[in-house]
Structures are given as structure tokens and as C-alpha cells.
Amino acid sequence: MQNKLPSVAIVGRPNVGKSTLFNRLIQKRVSIMHDSAGVTRDRVFHTCEWLSRRFNIIDSGGFSHNLNLSFQKEINTQVKIAMEEADIIIFLVSVIDGITKEDIVVASMLKKLTNKKIIVAVNKSDNLELSISASNFYSIGLGEPIGVSSIHGIGISELLDKIISLISNPKEIEIKNSLRVGIIGKPNVGKSTLLNCLLKDERTIVSNVAGTTRDSIDTILKIDNKEIVLTDTAGLKKNKQSLDEIEWYAELRTQLTIINSDVSILLIDKNQSITQIDEKILGILKDEFKPVVIAINKIDELSNEERKEVELEIRNKFKFAPWVPIIFISAKEGKNVNKLMKKVIELGDIRKINLSKSILNQFLSDIQMIKKPPRHNGVNIKLNYITFSNTRFPHFIIFSNHPQWVHFSYIRFIENQIRNVFDLEGIPIKISIRGKGN
């Protein structure tokens, strides 16, 4: 059995460079970095490796007693949860600002966590003089401080060495072969509520204010012995001109989530009309050949007849992707959520299909007996043979004597037959018609 990786949380007051340190440790730009306080709201997870050892690193929002800041109460709750989840806590402070009142408050909270291993990291120690000043943080009473510069990489190796020395169990193994599932959709359709329903805890901040979730958040879940990495994302907005700099980065994260996921859940609120942004999201998924399930949320009071009307409306809006399955759920009440995840896992398994040449070519012969390709200006069109590739998605390559004259309606007929014969309902597929020399 695979063991859980140890977790390391970065905590501190707002704007001390927690997200910059997080990105430096994982050597990627995952957390949004900005000079504004309160940019990181939810906990952001990633895997870090140092000296052949692996651990989870958690970025958290800035803890503050100024509850007038946007979502500060919820952020403080998330910081406390991050502290509870972590095996090791990096308490990040700033040598430029010195010891502040809020640093003392956070330090007091950490001292109460008697079972946690704590590292005081003094950020912005960019030169020798500042590194010497970092020793002033001894007075906090949490052990020897380590001077670091998240931006310039100073002291990062020493910090990582310290983390590794505090990890007690050397046998942690990363969970592999997980199914990556992205929860996507417009703002305020219930994405975080769905994630919390699946996890049965307050994993992300939930509110009725559109745009609460800004970062993409990864969480590992096990369903029927299947490891699933769920990613809750910030909602996409229609008008790019209305996005401030931070929201623009959050929208980029959502699009990256689509690209990196194996299967996506497109969440739609039944009380909101289908808009261009919903069509845009499904269009991106179709272009990327990503399996997707449309989940219609908030169906608590819908009758069966009303559900049929809603589904018909959605089918009419999404005519360009008729293969997408639709499931009605209530994330708040937990209705049909298990059915949704069963379909997600099913699509994750189907997308790995592998087909032999003999089966494919028998299929090609059979469909031409059922329906021959339409002639073009009196010339017979023949489909000679077919090959199959599934490196990223099912790709059927058919060779013809006149590929340029194979009508699009016949290609659609081939796609429908492929879905029926090989049970690929719900999976986007690609069909290429090529000549003998291609």
C-alpha cells in the first residue's frame, strides 16, 4: 500500500512572499504571485522533491486580524486548516519589516501546536547584512531562523535540507497513475461546493460572491480503489476587459487545468442560462479532445419533465458536441454525485482503449458494406485501410484513394459507427482521412 507523503505548509501574515517561496520550492509558477495582500485565498498543494525525497508543499493565504480585508475570516480558517494538515510548518516572516504584531499572533498560534515541527524562514534576506538581521527572529521563540530570499534563491538549499532532516519516515511513496479530474465552469455555479461534497469537509472557501476561488486547487481522493486528483478552478469570465491582473492569471490557470486533466466536469447552474462562456469552455475541451461530463447543478426542486426540458435546451446549445453525457446533480444535497463520479471514472477507463489492426480493418470493411462513400463527379471513393493511435486521445486514421473527396457527412457517419461499435460514447475522437502517400 502506498503511504501518504508528508506535508509541509507555508504560513505567515499577508504579503511576506509565501507564494513566491512556494513557486521557488517546486520550481514552477503555480501559486499566483502579486504585491497585493490576500491574493492567495485557498490552500494550494504541490509535490516537491529534494535529495530523492518527496513531500507535499502547501501554500496558504496570509493570516490577519484585520477582518475588513476581503474574505479574511475565511482565509484565516484555511490557514488554520493548513496548519492542522501539515507535518512540518514553515513560518515565513520578512527581515525588511522586522517582527510585527501579526507575526507575534501567528507565532503564538504555532506554539500551541505541540505536535508540529516548525521552521522559521526569514524572507528577503538578499545580502549579508540582512542575513545577519535575520537572527533577530530568535526572540519569537520558535527555534533558529533561516535567512532566505524567495526571489533570488538564497538559502533555499538550506531550507530544503532542514525540511528533509525533519521528515521522520523515509518510505513515503507518491501516488501514481491517478486520474486527473478538473472541475470547471463559470463563477458561482457550485464548483467548490461540489469539491467539498466529494471530500465531506470545508476543503475550499465557499461563498455566494463570484470569483472566490482564484487558484487551481489539487486534492487526492479515492473512490472504489481509484486514485483521483481533483482540481477545483477559478471560474472563467466572459469579458476579458473586466479582468484585473490577478483574475487574468486565475483564468489562465483554468485553461491549463483543462489541458492537464484526463477528464473534466463542466458544471452548469440550472438557474443560469447557457452563455457563450459555457460554449467556450466546451469548445476548448473539444479542441483538446478531452473527455467531459456536463453536470447540471442545483436540481433539488426539478421534476422529471423539467429535467427533460433543461437537457433538451443544453443539447440544442451544444450541438457541436453531441457525444457529451449529461448528469443532473445537487452538490449541496449530494444528490447523484456518486453517479457523476462513476461516469467520470468510466470515461477515464474508456479513453485508454486499444484496438488491433485486424479488428479495425474488419470494421472498415463492414461499414462500407452498410453504406458506401458517396461518389464524387462519377468517381468511386474507397476507404482502403485504417490505423489507430491513442497517445493522448483516440485517433482513427483512414487511408483513401481520394481523401480530399470524402464528404464530411460520411465522416460523421463513420464517427457514429465507431462510437456504437467500440463503445466510445462520451469520448471525443479524431478521424483523419489521408492518401496513400501520407
Side-chain angles (χ1 to χ4, degrees):
M1 175 182 282
Q2 293 174 322
N3 296 317
K4 179 184 176 183
L5 287 172
S7 294
V8 179
I10 305 173
V11 303
R13 59 183 173 83
N15 208 26
V16 290
K18 295 183 293 299
S19 294
T20 307
L21 177 60
F22 177 87
N23 290 340
R24 169 67 69 174
L25 290 173
I26 67 172
Q27 299 180 9
K28 294 179 181 179
R29 286 180 63 94
V30 171
S31 271
I32 300 172
M33 299 182 297
H34 200 275
D35 291 335
S36 303
V39 172
T40 301
R41 293 174 175 173
D42 292 306
R43 292 159 288 155
V44 182
F45 292 71
H46 209 281
T47 301
C48 185
E49 182 173 358
W50 182 251
L51 301 178
S52 300
R53 300 296 307 282
R54 301 176 78 85
F55 55 90
N56 288 326
I57 191 83
I58 307 171
D59 186 18
S60 64
F63 186 92
S64 174
H65 274 183
N66 182 6
L67 300 183
N68 292 324
L69 295 174
S70 178
F71 293 102
Q72 191 57 57
K73 183 179 178 180
E74 291 87 351
I75 292 172
N76 288 351
T77 299
Q78 293 297 305
V79 174
K80 292 176 182 178
I81 294 174
M83 291 179 178
E84 293 171 1
E85 289 179 346
D87 303 299
I88 300 169
I89 298 172
I90 299 174
F91 177 30
L92 194 65
V93 293
S94 168
V95 71
I96 302 296
D97 300 331
I99 301 174
T100 68
K101 291 181 179 179
E102 290 197 324
D103 288 332
I104 295 173
V105 170
V106 177
S108 177
M109 292 169 55
L110 292 172
K111 289 176 183 177
K112 295 176 182 178
L113 303 173
T114 56
N115 61 331
K116 304 293 181 181
K117 301 169 184 176
I118 299 167
I119 304 170
V120 178
V122 186
N123 197 21
K124 306 178 184 180
S125 301
D126 299 336
N127 54 48
L128 180 59
E129 182 180 351
L130 291 173
S131 295
I132 294 173
S133 299
S135 61
N136 294 332
F137 286 85
Y138 266 112
S139 61
I140 286 181
L142 289 170
E144 181 181 2
I146 298 174
V148 301
S149 172
S150 301
I151 292 178
H152 299 106
I154 297 171
I156 299 301
S157 296
E158 183 182 355
L159 176 61
L160 285 165
D161 287 342
K162 182 66 174 178
I163 292 170
I164 295 303
S165 70
L166 295 177
I167 295 176
S168 58
N169 184 359
K171 298 180 180 180
E172 289 83 7
I173 304 173
E174 183 185 11
I175 297 172
K176 298 180 180 179
N177 300 320
S178 300
L179 178 67
R180 297 197 63 89
V181 179
I183 304 174
I184 55 180
K186 292 183 298 190
N188 205 28
V189 293
K191 298 185 294 296
S192 295
T193 305
L194 174 58
L195 180 61
N196 289 340
C197 175
L198 288 166
L199 300 175
K200 296 180 175 59
D201 72 4
E202 294 301 314
R203 170 63 177 79
T204 57
I205 298 169
V206 179
S207 80
N208 291 323
V209 181
T212 304
T213 301
R214 293 190 179 187
D215 287 302
S216 298
I217 306 160
D218 284 355
T219 304
I220 296 176
L221 177 69
K222 180 174 281 190
I223 299 177
D224 296 332
N225 294 320
K226 182 76 174 181
E227 301 290 354
I228 297 174
V229 179
L230 285 170
T231 304
D232 177 25
T233 60
L236 285 167
K237 288 191 176 181
K238 179 180 178 181
N239 183 4
K240 280 231 175 23
Q241 293 180 350
S242 71
L243 301 179
D244 62 23
E245 184 179 355
I246 300 168
E247 288 172 327
W248 185 88
Y249 280 122
E251 179 168 332
L252 178 62
R253 293 290 189 278
T254 299
Q255 298 198 34
L256 289 173
T257 297
I258 291 174
I259 294 172
N260 293 327
S261 294
D262 300 315
V263 181
S264 293
I265 298 171
L266 173 54
L267 198 61
I268 294 175
D269 183 345
K270 65 96 176 172
N271 296 317
Q272 300 180 22
S273 58
I274 306 298
T275 63
Q276 289 182 353
I277 194 62
D278 296 305
E279 296 178 28
K280 172 187 173 182
I281 295 172
L282 190 55
I284 295 172
L285 288 161
K286 184 174 183 289
D287 291 343
E288 293 294 329
F289 296 94
K290 295 293 184 178
V292 57
V293 181
I294 294 177
I296 311 300
N297 194 21
K298 306 180 184 177
I299 50 92
D300 311 60
E301 300 177 358
L302 280 183
S303 65
N304 290 334
E305 195 62 34
E306 288 171 325
R307 292 187 189 188
K308 291 178 181 178
E309 292 178 4
V310 173
E311 182 170 356
L312 181 61
E313 178 190 355
I314 292 171
R315 290 294 183 197
N316 288 333
K317 288 284 187 179
F318 297 146
K319 287 182 178 179
F320 61 92
W323 42 267
V324 177
I326 296 175
I327 295 178
F328 289 86
I329 70 165
S330 172
K332 185 177 180 180
E333 302 294 333
K335 292 181 180 177
N336 287 344
V337 171
N338 289 337
K339 180 180 178 181
L340 170 65
M341 295 311 298
K342 183 178 180 181
K343 174 59 70 173
V344 166
I345 293 172
E346 178 184 318
L347 295 185
D349 291 336
I350 293 174
R351 70 186 174 89
K352 300 176 183 178
I353 188 172
N354 191 19
L355 301 170
S356 67
K357 288 183 179 180
S358 59
I359 291 175
L360 285 168
N361 283 293
Q362 182 62 53
F363 162 80
L364 191 64
S365 174
D366 291 344
I367 64 169
Q368 289 182 92
M369 291 182 65
I370 297 171
K371 182 179 179 180
K372 292 184 178 180
R375 290 158 61 95
H376 180 82
N377 292 337
V379 177
N380 288 328
I381 309 298
K382 293 182 180 180
L383 307 181
N384 299 318
Y385 62 97
I386 181 172
T387 62
F388 177 73
S389 170
N390 194 10
T391 52
R392 290 197 304 119
F393 51 82
H395 185 189
F396 296 84
I397 306 165
I398 300 173
F399 292 84
S400 170
N401 58 338
H402 295 291
Q404 72 277 20
W405 292 341
V406 179
H407 199 268
F408 74 88
S409 62
Y410 193 76
I411 296 175
R412 189 167 56 206
F413 163 75
I414 296 172
E415 179 178 345
N416 291 334
Q417 293 300 313
I418 286 174
R419 292 191 183 282
N420 291 333
V421 172
F422 300 118
D423 194 21
L424 290 178
E425 290 300 322
I427 300 293
I429 63 176
K430 183 177 181 179
I431 298 175
S432 299
I433 309 295
R434 298 180 182 177
K436 188 176 180 180
N438 298 130

